[in-house]
Amino acid sequence: MSDRHLDRIRRAAKQAEADGFDALLVAPSADLMYLAGYDPPPLERLTCLVVRPGTEPVLLVPELEQPRALASPVGDELDVTTWRDGDDPYASLAPLLAESGRFAATDRMWAVHLLGAQRVRPGAEFAPGSTVLAKLRSIKDAEELELLSRAARGADEAFRHLADSRLEGLREEEVALLLGSLLTETGHESVSFTIVGSGPNGASPHHEPGGRTIRAGDPIVLDFGGRIGGYCSDISRTVCVGEPPSGFEEVYDVVRDAQEAAFRAVEPGVPAREIDDVARRVIDSAGYGDRFIHRTGHGIGLEEHEPPWIASDNGEPLEPGMCFSIEPGIYLEGRFGVRIEDIVAVTDEGAQRLNRASRDLETVA
Ligand code: CO
């Protein structure tokens, strides 16, 4: 049994009530992992934790998954009920839901399950679960902060090893494989993504590493991460193989200044969009505003992208315990890209960088 998880379920019920919901439907996802420590794969078979204000929570699972559900951290505390193959799982879900209630369903519930729930409760209103759960999940507790710091330090170390390696002559996909094994060696239990954008490929922010061979004079955008203890790392650095091409250093300095200015702007009470504004103003005033083609950052935790969004449309105030990326970039088509990304945590006074890798331009071999 896990008091931590039961406490989270209780807080989720309270938050759902405060937000005017009759129940929270939690499908297999980071939301279920967060609330119950239970991590079954999402399946065509319905699994759903139903959290209701004022009533005990119920975990509805397919009968064959019952032993697993009972073995989970909250298995002996929760009411675990089952449905059997051949029966209608939504008929088992229906009695747990008020006739014409308001329900929040986790963002990652499969459409087939949400549509099934809507079929048995046609008079009900459904909303995204993140409207409730982001308020809990975006504030990290001490244990979560420790895991995010460990993940960030592992990613820093992987970057250090990579920057000390010889990259000239390797294909992007080989560098991506190397990054993957470095993430594993630095304590990650899994690798989530390894972006390697060399030369002109760096101008595509999410470039898929391919067969391009890295040459002298190439800038390389590296963006990679994995998981430690279930929590994600995510770091970007842009390095250059030998002498940088003309104009590169100027662009690099603009991105580094934007990243620094945004970091310095972080403190409790500041709206998330202000961090985006600050980064954007630095890049705008250098004349590259229209080449900064994405938001400044995203929250991170059990998922590599989760609220809070550090974007122009998010007026939510920052709070101590929030963790997110600050990753401005400039992308020049046909030439190169530059992105610098650290994960930061909001503290009582300001912010702390979880990544410590140098942000100075690294020349690699
Ligand atoms: Co990121």
Side-chain angles (χ1 to χ4, degrees):
M1 88 155 198
S2 161
D3 288 344
R4 183 159 60 118
H5 292 108
L6 290 173
D7 178 57
R8 287 175 177 175
I9 291 174
R10 253 178 248 122
R11 284 166 46 221
K14 253 193 195 158
Q15 188 65 54
E17 184 171 34
D19 293 341
F21 291 104
D22 298 292
L24 192 56
L25 309 185
V26 186
S29 61
D31 286 334
L32 186 58
M33 185 62 190
Y34 178 80
L35 292 176
Y38 180 41
D39 192 26
L43 290 176
E44 75 289 357
R45 291 181 171 113
L46 176 70
T47 287
C48 187
L49 171 66
V50 182
V51 177
R52 294 166 295 178
T55 316
E56 288 303 306
V58 174
L59 180 59
L60 177 64
V61 300
E63 192 174 32
L64 81 167
E65 300 273 336
Q66 188 187 27
R68 252 179 106 173
L70 290 174
S72 75
V74 293
D76 52 4
E77 296 286 334
L78 281 191
D79 177 2
V80 177
T81 67
T82 64
W83 62 274
R84 178 173 285 194
D85 278 356
D87 293 341
D88 177 4
Y90 310 103
S92 301
L93 179 65
L96 305 176
L97 307 177
E99 280 289 343
S100 53
R102 284 189 77 222
F103 306 116
T106 46
D107 293 19
R108 290 183 186 239
M109 178 179 255
W110 284 8
V112 68
H113 297 314
L114 180 59
L115 291 167
Q118 289 179 329
R119 173 169 56 77
V120 295
R121 282 295 172 261
E125 186 190 325
F126 289 83
S130 56
T131 55
V132 176
L133 287 173
K135 291 170 190 141
L136 275 68
R137 280 182 52 194
S138 62
I139 311 294
K140 270 66 184 179
D141 64 26
E143 189 177 334
E144 292 181 290
L145 284 169
E146 172 54 28
L147 288 169
L148 283 164
S149 302
R150 271 175 51 198
R153 284 196 298 271
D156 288 345
E157 220 185 304
F159 171 72
R160 191 63 261 145
H161 288 303
L162 189 89
D164 290 340
S165 309
R166 185 173 177 84
L167 303 184
E168 189 182 346
L170 295 183
R171 295 190 306 277
E172 286 175 348
E173 56 203 2
E174 293 175 307
V175 177
L177 279 176
L178 177 56
L179 265 174
S181 53
L182 288 170
L183 283 169
T184 306
E185 281 165 33
T186 55
H188 290 77
E189 68 244 3
S190 64
V191 177
S192 307
F193 59 96
T194 50
I195 296 171
V196 178
S198 67
N201 289 341
S204 167
H206 282 172
H207 174 69
E208 176 75 27
R212 185 180 183 280
T213 298
I214 290 165
R215 296 191 289 258
D218 277 348
I220 312 173
V221 177
L222 303 159
D223 183 351
F224 52 93
R227 283 189 164 78
I228 290 186
Y231 282 76
C232 296
S233 62
D234 184 1
I235 183 174
S236 303
R237 289 292 184 269
T238 303
V239 299
C240 197
V241 181
E243 275 300 296
S246 76
F248 175 80
E249 281 165 294
E250 180 215 322
V251 174
Y252 188 93
D253 288 346
V254 173
V255 174
R256 190 181 49 184
D257 291 351
Q259 211 276 348
E260 179 68 22
F263 170 72
R264 286 174 186 276
V266 175
E267 62 177 299
V270 169
R273 66 165 162 256
E274 176 68 17
I275 309 309
D276 184 80
D277 281 354
V278 167
R280 217 162 284 282
R281 275 201 294 271
V282 173
I283 291 178
D284 271 343
S285 62
Y288 295 102
D290 67 331
R291 303 318 309 148
F292 178 16
I293 55 178
H294 53 71
R295 67 187 173 213
T296 294
H298 54 82
I300 189 167
L302 287 166
E303 291 177 281
E304 64 247 5
H305 287 186
E306 61 178 47
W309 311 111
I310 308 304
S312 59
D313 60 352
N314 184 10
E316 131 190 55
L318 299 179
E319 288 180 56
M322 284 181 172
C323 285
F324 49 83
S325 69
I326 298 181
E327 50 179 309
I330 293 176
Y331 306 93
L332 303 180
E333 220 188 312
R335 294 177 65 198
F336 54 76
V338 176
R339 179 164 66 256
I340 301 173
E341 170 182 27
D342 279 341
I343 302 304
V344 308
V346 183
T347 63
D348 290 332
E349 301 84 36
Q352 183 196 351
R353 289 183 194 269
L354 302 189
N355 291 106
R356 309 274 168 78
S358 167
R359 292 176 306 283
D360 293 338
L361 178 58
E362 294 254 359
T363 301
V364 302

